[in-house]
Amino acid sequence: MRQTPRQQAVAIAATATGGRTLRMVFAALVLAIMVAMSASNAFALDSENVRVAKALSNAYAEVVDHVGPAVVGIETEKIVRRSASPRGMEDPMEFFERFFDLPPGMSPRNRQQRPTPKDETTRSTGIGSGVVIDEEGRILTNNHVVADADNIKVEFATEKGRTFKAEVVGRDPNSDLAVIKLVEKPDYLPVAALGDSEALKPGNIVIAIGSPLGFKQSVTVGVVSAKGRNLGELAYERFIQTDASINPGNSGGPLVNLDGEVVGLNTMISVRPGSSGSIGIGFAIPINQAKTVVRQLIEKGSVTRGWLGIVMNPDDKDISLQLGHDGTGVLITEVDPSGPAHKAGIRRGDLIIQFDNLAIKDNEHLRYLVAETAPGRDVPVTVLRAGERVNLTLTVEAQPEDLYSSARRMGMGGGEGGSGIDGTDEVSSSLGLTVRNLDDTSRKQYEIADSVRQGVVVTEVDDSGEAKELGIRPGTVIIEMDGQPVKDVPAFRRILKDSAGKEKILVYLRYGEVSRYMSMKLK
């Protein structure tokens, strides 16, 4: 029978005592201890690497123990009143979705919807997550979790079997954030600490806590994959990307750092066509962005954002370099005559390179900074104009409620009307375009708005030229070239002649209701 290390040690010591000297007894005891220790190490790992891994594992558990109680499950109910479908008929949208198998793509609405019977009164339910942010019982979550809900119930991990009614304090669809408040609070109300999302770096470990598919208090661990992601889903967004597993129902739950602080709010997942589960790419709203929204939602139930009254040219590094900058900045294509930018002296063609003493990277960067600026605040702005830096002071105003309505669309402004004569086409071999004067005939032919008061109209585009690749098409109006107004065909011809020898020329044009600058190569 095999002996244990302890039995082996005793046997060795007993053998040594049989008529041997004290020194031999002592040596036997030492050998027995060494045998026992060796045998013990064979069954237990205790290296430095293992100790570090165990410490990290325990750290995860400590973070979850600290933050987990403040993470809640949210169940919503919406009462839908509609006429019952005739016998044998099915919902047309269900029919469409089943037979055409539309890919889900990117969607912020990653909550689980339960089917409801077709009846005059139905109840649609949804699930999500949230996190308690103050002792008053306010909970931060996603707007799409609670939007249009008639009833909201909250469940705490520490209150098994009990749910608490909550009401909406305020919602902001543009950022997909909402604040709800408990009508009745539990005896013990845990509150999560809000951290600093700007301090995050790609590679930092983060923990997601929430209720995916209704499984309350689920924990997943990953890293920050990237910051500042713009997905085009929301009006104001600079998402944190993470590989911590996020699934339907995680929406509104916190993304936490190893200090036990909330650094993001899990909002969106990327899915494969035909699937609805996580593929390891999730997105969270940075908590610093959420703080500004939360403050306004608590104070007034809605969000007011800053506004400049400008239209930004699509980001184009080449244009910035051509204007003498470093490839960054925001080029202005239109200025609202009633907006704060116009009042501050900003002009069309200016390249905004600094806002509030911060270097501007691109359009999204400026849009985010302006939106986060409180209306009424004076902000220093630096623009590059004709190669010179111009310092201005701008008073930010609140976004108009009808900002995106057709009533606020800005006209082109500036310059005299087209001559209305000399409609002869001018072929430009250097740009690959054929143009003619802007007259009544061309206005009618290409449906050009009366607000466009000067320029030449493109009538033909060379199929093999760069203009075709840039998307220029017949009906495009060229308003300005190389910083000079194009009033008619002779002016167009003169500017091209003066630009001979240049590699590129900056062109300002308009097609339909869209205006922009383009950097075009000269043949």
Side-chain angles (χ1 to χ4, degrees):
M1 181 180 295
R2 183 176 180 180
Q3 293 180 315
T4 66
R6 181 182 181 87
Q7 291 171 332
Q8 291 176 0
V10 172
I12 292 172
T15 301
T17 57
R20 301 205 178 190
T21 64
L22 183 62
R23 185 167 56 183
M24 293 296 293
V25 172
F26 178 75
L29 288 172
V30 171
L31 179 60
I33 293 172
M34 292 177 63
V35 170
M37 291 179 61
S38 176
S40 177
N41 286 340
F43 295 96
L45 293 175
D46 194 32
S47 69
E48 182 65 24
N49 290 338
V50 171
R51 286 195 293 271
V52 170
K54 288 180 177 179
L56 182 59
S57 176
N58 290 333
Y60 294 158
E62 289 179 16
V63 170
V64 175
D65 286 342
H66 179 71
V67 184
V71 181
V72 300
I74 298 176
E75 294 187 6
T76 62
E77 182 183 64
K78 180 181 179 180
I79 300 174
V80 182
R81 294 176 176 83
R82 62 181 179 182
S83 299
S85 300
R87 183 179 299 275
M89 297 292 291
E90 61 181 347
D91 186 277
M93 184 55 66
E94 293 177 358
F95 176 91
F96 185 82
E97 291 175 346
R98 190 170 76 241
F99 283 90
F100 286 85
D101 190 24
L102 294 180
M106 291 284 189
S107 175
R109 302 186 180 280
N110 55 345
R111 59 176 178 171
Q112 185 183 25
Q113 295 291 339
R114 302 172 186 170
T116 57
K118 295 179 176 64
D119 199 355
E120 292 185 357
T121 300
T122 60
R123 298 178 184 273
S124 174
T125 61
I127 59 174
S129 307
V131 58
V132 181
I133 57 174
D134 64 26
E135 295 179 354
E136 298 298 317
R138 296 187 182 93
I139 296 169
L140 177 62
T141 186
N142 282 136
N143 173 68
H144 72 263
V145 171
V146 297
D148 302 323
D150 292 305
N151 297 303
I152 303 173
K153 293 188 293 184
V154 173
E155 183 177 347
F156 288 83
T158 55
E159 300 284 341
K160 296 293 184 181
R162 292 184 64 190
T163 58
F164 297 84
K165 184 178 179 180
E167 296 178 345
V168 173
V169 173
R171 302 188 295 109
D172 180 38
N174 284 329
S175 63
D176 197 20
L177 292 169
V179 175
I180 62 176
K181 186 177 181 180
L182 296 170
V183 176
E184 179 186 2
K185 294 184 291 186
D187 296 334
Y188 167 66
L189 182 65
V191 177
L194 305 185
D196 179 11
S197 53
E198 286 299 313
L200 286 177
K201 297 179 181 179
N204 283 163
I205 295 173
V206 285
I207 300 174
I209 309 176
S211 305
L213 304 176
F215 295 105
K216 307 291 193 302
Q217 291 291 305
S218 293
V219 178
T220 55
V221 178
V223 299
V224 174
S225 304
K227 294 173 59 178
R229 290 297 197 204
N230 184 331
L231 307 177
E233 292 281 349
L234 302 173
Y236 301 96
E237 56 185 12
R238 294 177 71 84
F239 287 110
I240 300 167
Q241 180 184 334
T242 179
D243 66 346
S245 183
I246 296 173
N247 283 285
N250 270 116
S251 287
L255 191 69
V256 183
N257 63 17
L258 292 186
D259 290 321
E261 300 168 332
V262 178
V263 291
L265 203 70
N266 302 317
T267 298
M268 191 178 297
I269 59 175
S270 176
V271 297
R272 292 190 182 96
S275 172
S276 60
S278 172
I279 60 173
I281 301 177
F283 302 93
I285 298 171
I287 199 63
N288 287 20
Q289 178 180 331
K291 288 176 184 177
T292 303
V293 174
V294 166
R295 183 174 62 252
Q296 294 192 56
L297 291 179
I298 292 175
E299 290 175 356
K300 54 185 180 181
S302 60
V303 177
T304 301
R305 291 184 167 85
W307 175 64
L308 296 187
I310 60 174
V311 176
M312 299 179 287
N313 201 64
D315 289 320
D316 191 327
K317 182 179 179 180
D318 287 340
I319 291 179
S320 175
L321 293 171
Q322 192 171 341
L323 293 173
H325 199 44
D326 61 3
T328 62
V330 171
L331 183 62
I332 306 305
T333 60
E334 295 184 50
V335 181
D336 190 323
S338 65
H342 181 269
K343 298 172 186 176
I346 292 178
R347 306 174 187 172
R348 175 169 60 81
D350 284 348
L351 184 73
I352 298 180
I353 58 178
Q354 285 189 356
F355 180 86
D356 202 10
N357 298 315
L358 295 173
I360 298 302
K361 301 174 185 176
D362 50 30
N363 290 358
E364 181 62 25
H365 186 206
L366 178 62
R367 187 164 65 109
Y368 178 79
L369 291 176
V370 172
E372 295 296 299
T373 303
R377 181 166 167 244
D378 292 338
V379 177
V381 179
T382 301
V383 303
L384 198 64
R385 179 183 299 164
E388 300 291 332
R389 294 170 67 99
V390 180
N391 296 316
L392 304 167
T393 299
L394 182 148
T395 303
V396 176
E397 296 181 10
Q399 282 184 2
E401 293 184 2
D402 59 345
L403 179 62
Y404 301 104
S405 70
S406 58
R408 292 201 63 87
R409 288 175 182 163
M410 294 171 274
M412 294 303 301
E416 299 295 330
S419 63
I421 60 173
D422 187 16
T424 305
D425 290 349
E426 170 77 12
V427 178
S428 167
S429 59
S430 60
L431 290 180
L433 298 170
T434 301
V435 301
R436 64 175 296 160
N437 282 324
L438 180 60
D439 54 20
D440 292 340
T441 301
S442 56
R443 284 184 185 278
K444 183 176 181 180
Q445 179 181 356
Y446 296 109
E447 300 181 349
I448 299 171
D450 292 337
S451 59
V452 183
R453 298 195 289 271
Q454 74 172 31
V456 294
V457 185
V458 175
T459 58
E460 293 183 22
V461 181
D462 186 347
D463 288 338
S464 62
E466 183 195 28
K468 184 81 170 181
E469 296 178 1
L470 291 173
I472 297 177
R473 64 194 73 180
T476 300
V477 181
I478 298 177
I479 299 166
E480 184 181 287
M481 296 195 312
D482 201 24
Q484 303 176 57
V486 180
K487 295 182 179 180
D488 48 30
V489 169
F492 175 81
R493 185 187 305 122
R494 175 185 54 78
I495 295 171
L496 282 180
K497 182 178 179 180
D498 293 342
S499 302
K502 292 184 178 180
E503 181 182 352
K504 295 182 177 181
I505 186 171
L506 191 62
V507 179
Y508 179 64
L509 43 80
R510 175 165 177 152
Y511 183 81
E513 296 181 349
V514 178
S515 304
R516 67 166 296 177
Y517 284 89
M518 285 185 176
S519 180
M520 299 183 66
K521 294 179 181 179
L522 291 170
K523 293 184 180 179

